[in-house]
């Protein structure tokens, strides 16, 4: 018989494998402590996504947590990473936005309101004229990109956005996993980032890359939501995850930490949530064509068909 602790652990594992957060940056090849250089998000315990594109939580998802963090220095032209301890589980795409704090304003006091955001990186879908669609961002343990050399020196919010599309065929079905880090860019250039957009406001929810059925029929093309990447060389659809050290980086005013996890290179294989006699947790996948994981849900949730390729544990 399973103990209460074992039941709780099984439920937690099923839930966290389905949803995810981005609590750390990767600077100089090492992972910073969780929620030190990244503002703690409302879902830091539940992992639940944002689904309302008009909500202020689309910005940094920190309305309930005060959104405090410590700023870490990063050199323009260097590699910056954003860590996902659980991996990006769902099929979908990635956008990374930045916003510079106004002169005289510390980025810790900057809400990112107004038309101040510009996109610096994206990982889009790969299509084959309706024969197949794949998502290179799926199963990545982190997202890394090069800070543009042209980026002006200053303090910035770095906003990670993983858009999950597995139930996006109806309005409001797309799931947004969001986090904002705080960095101070040094050695910057004299570029003019843009186009600048407002968040919320950049999406209506009806864009073809957001309101989309990725299963049937298979899309012949995919349109990445949001503005173009600045500069254009920042776009990528075939991400490469660099080796990451398990040694933590702590910024000058951050508290010490003792444990961080080691990131491993992602593969193209999807890991299914573990099967359990107690069933999968709320929001976990429980069925669909080709699904080999748990098909029963933990009480009081039931396995409900979303489409022929995806069933999910939901409240009745």
């Amino acid at each position: 018989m399973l103990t209460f602790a074992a039941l709780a652990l099984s439920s937690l594992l099923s839930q966290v494998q389905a949803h995810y957060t981005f609590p750390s940056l990767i600077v100089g090849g090492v992972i910073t402590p969780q929620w030190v250089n990244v503002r703690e998000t409302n879902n830091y315990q539940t992992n639940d996504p944002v689904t309302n594109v008009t909500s202020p939580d689309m910005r940094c998802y920190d309305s309930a947590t005060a959104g405090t963090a410590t700023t870490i220095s990063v050199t323009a032209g260097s590699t910056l990473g954003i860590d996902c301890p659980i991996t990006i589980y769902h099929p979908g795409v990635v956008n990374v936005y930045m916003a510079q704090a106004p002169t005289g304003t510390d980025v810790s006091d900057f809400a990112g309101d107004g038309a101040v955001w510009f996109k610096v990186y994206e990982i889009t879908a790969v299509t084959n004229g309706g024969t197949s669609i794949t998502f290179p961002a799926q199963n990545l343990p982190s997202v890394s990109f090069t800070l543009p050399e042209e980026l002006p020196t200053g303090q910035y919010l770095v906003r990670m956005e993983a858009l999950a599309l597995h139930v996006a065929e109806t309005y409001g079905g797309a799931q947004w996993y969001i986090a904002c880090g705080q960095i101070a860019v040094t050695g910057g250039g004299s570029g003019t980032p843009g186009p600048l957009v407002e968040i919320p406001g950049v999406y209506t929810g009806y864009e073809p890359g957001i309101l989309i059925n990725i299963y049937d029929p298979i899309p012949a093309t995919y349109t990445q939501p949001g503005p173009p990447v600045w500069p254009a060389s920042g776009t990528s659809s075939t991400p490469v995850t660099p080796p990451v050290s398990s040694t933590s980086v702590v910024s000058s005013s951050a508290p010490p930490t003792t444990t961080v996890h080691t990131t491993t290179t992602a593969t193209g294989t999807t890991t299914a949530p573990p099967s359990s006699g107690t069933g999968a947790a709320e929001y976990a996948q429980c069925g669909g064509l080709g699904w080999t994981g748990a098909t029963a849900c933990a009480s009081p949730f039931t396995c409900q068909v979303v489409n022929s390729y995806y069933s999910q544990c939901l409240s009745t």
Side-chain angles (χ1 to χ4, degrees):
M1 178 179 291
L2 291 174
T3 65
F4 176 79
L7 292 173
L9 178 60
S10 174
S11 176
L12 176 63
L13 286 173
S14 295
Q15 180 177 3
V16 299
Q17 281 205 338
H19 293 172
Y20 29 92
T21 59
F22 299 93
S24 302
L25 300 179
I26 305 173
V27 179
V30 293
I31 304 170
T32 66
Q34 293 190 2
W35 309 120
V36 171
N37 301 122
V38 175
R39 296 179 175 183
E40 188 174 76
T41 51
N42 296 359
N43 67 339
Y44 75 100
Q45 290 181 318
T46 66
N47 295 350
D48 289 344
V50 178
T51 56
N52 180 1
V53 297
T54 67
S55 168
D57 279 330
M58 278 293 290
R59 194 176 297 146
C60 288
Y61 202 6
D62 59 355
S63 60
T65 61
T68 56
T70 300
T71 304
I72 189 168
S73 293
V74 186
T75 305
S78 66
T79 299
L80 178 65
I82 304 164
D83 187 54
C84 182
I86 301 166
T87 76
I88 300 175
Y89 180 77
H90 291 305
V93 298
V94 162
N95 290 314
V96 179
Y97 290 85
M98 294 182 66
Q100 185 173 12
T103 303
T105 300
D106 191 281
V107 69
S108 296
D109 301 319
F110 179 45
D113 49 327
V116 294
W117 296 93
F118 56 97
K119 191 193 292 188
V120 292
Y121 186 69
E122 64 184 26
I123 304 174
T124 190
V126 177
T127 58
N128 189 20
T131 303
S132 66
I133 183 169
T134 57
F135 299 94
Q138 188 175 15
N139 293 317
L140 286 181
S142 64
V143 170
S144 294
F145 63 99
T146 301
L147 280 175
E149 293 182 356
E150 307 95 316
L151 190 66
T153 296
Q155 294 188 352
Y156 291 83
L157 290 174
V158 179
R159 178 182 173 276
M160 172 67 185
E161 167 187 291
L163 168 57
L165 298 171
H166 58 296
V167 288
E169 62 266 29
T170 58
Y171 183 82
Q175 298 179 355
W176 308 83
Y177 298 89
I178 298 165
C180 287
Q182 295 181 187
I183 66 171
V185 174
T186 60
S190 57
T192 304
L196 299 179
V197 298
E198 189 170 357
I199 301 175
V202 63
Y203 307 127
T204 67
Y206 291 99
E207 290 82 358
I210 296 176
L211 183 58
I212 183 174
N213 185 334
I214 63 173
Y215 301 109
D216 186 20
I218 297 172
T221 61
Y222 181 79
T223 303
Q224 186 80 357
V229 168
W230 178 86
S233 59
T235 303
S236 173
S237 59
T238 53
V240 177
T241 303
V244 179
S245 167
S246 60
T247 305
S248 64
V249 169
V250 183
S251 49
S252 57
S253 57
T257 188
T258 55
T259 306
V260 293
H261 78 278
T262 302
T263 301
T264 55
T265 303
T267 68
T269 303
T270 301
T271 302
S275 244
S276 165
T278 61
E282 185 179 15
Y283 304 123
Q285 185 174 357
C286 56
L289 293 178
W291 175 248
T292 58
T295 56
C297 300
S299 179
F301 311 112
T302 59
C303 189
Q304 299 182 29
V305 175
V306 177
N307 53 51
S308 58
Y309 294 86
Y310 194 90
S311 297
Q312 191 172 33
C313 292
L314 299 169
S315 301
T316 56

